[in-house]
């Protein structure tokens, strides 16, 4: 995995996040790197069903325009999945994800958790 320390240290959006979110971010980068589709982490089928409750009848464009409460709910779903891969509690992951997505460091694209630089 190519890791540019300068980019990490100067990322304005990431600097607005606290130390816990930064720790969660580093570990999520490792998970995203090893994902089937690099830079994107897809939920499993059973977790995708939970999205119907959070985002009823939304098309792909609308799915990327969630409210703050919807983002927190989505983060909770992803945290439940990522807790198997990260050395943090589910609550720590959920809080870190919320902070990272609210600061546009990570984003949701449909049923994926994404990091744009890794996808490009």
């Amino acid at each position: 995995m190519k890791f540019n320390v300068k980019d990490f240290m100067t990322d304005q959006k990431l600097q607005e996040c606290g130390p816990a979110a930064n720790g969660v971010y580093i570990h999520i980068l490792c998970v995203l790197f090893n994902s089937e589709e690099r830079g994107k982490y897809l939920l499993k089928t059973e977790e995708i069903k939970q999205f119907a409750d959070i985002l009823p009848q939304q098309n792909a464009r609308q799915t990327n325009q969630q409210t703050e409460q919807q983002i927190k709910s989505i983060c909770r779903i992803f945290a439940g999945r990522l807790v198997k891969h990260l050395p943090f509690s589910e609550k720590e992951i959920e809080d870190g994800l919320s902070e990272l997505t609210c600061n546009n460091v990570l984003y949701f694209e449909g049923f994926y958790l994404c990091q744009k630089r890794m996808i490009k």
Side-chain angles (χ1 to χ4, degrees):
M1 177 169 100
K2 182 180 175 185
F3 182 78
N4 191 328
V5 175
K6 184 179 177 184
D7 285 348
F8 178 78
M9 298 298 291
T10 60
D11 186 332
Q12 200 71 22
K13 295 174 183 176
L14 189 58
Q15 287 178 353
E16 293 177 14
C17 297
N22 273 266
V24 168
Y25 179 64
I26 290 294
H27 286 275
I28 287 176
L29 286 179
C30 296
V31 171
L32 292 173
F33 181 79
N34 289 319
S35 292
E36 194 172 307
E37 190 173 345
R38 185 157 292 151
K40 293 183 170 188
Y41 183 77
L42 178 64
L43 287 175
K44 297 242 182 218
T45 307
E46 59 272 9
E47 292 142 345
I48 289 173
K49 292 176 186 173
Q50 296 175 36
F51 267 74
D53 298 332
I54 299 168
L55 304 171
Q57 300 177 344
Q58 289 190 339
N59 62 35
R61 191 172 143 262
Q62 291 170 319
T63 302
N64 297 323
Q65 300 172 355
Q66 304 94 355
T67 67
E68 187 176 331
Q69 187 57 43
Q70 288 171 326
I71 289 172
K72 287 182 187 253
S73 297
I74 293 167
C75 288
R76 189 174 310 115
I77 295 169
F78 273 98
R81 180 82 176 120
L82 288 167
V83 75
K84 300 171 186 172
H85 304 287
L86 277 59
F88 301 99
S89 71
E90 193 169 330
K91 178 71 172 136
E92 290 170 322
I93 297 168
E94 180 184 334
D95 292 344
L97 274 176
S98 291
E99 193 171 346
L100 291 163
T101 54
C102 287
N103 285 310
N104 298 313
V105 176
L106 298 173
Y107 65 96
F108 299 113
E109 185 177 276
F111 303 119
Y112 287 92
L113 173 65
C114 305
Q115 202 278 342
K116 67 179 176 186
R117 283 186 154 177
M118 198 176 284
I119 295 169
K120 287 184 178 179

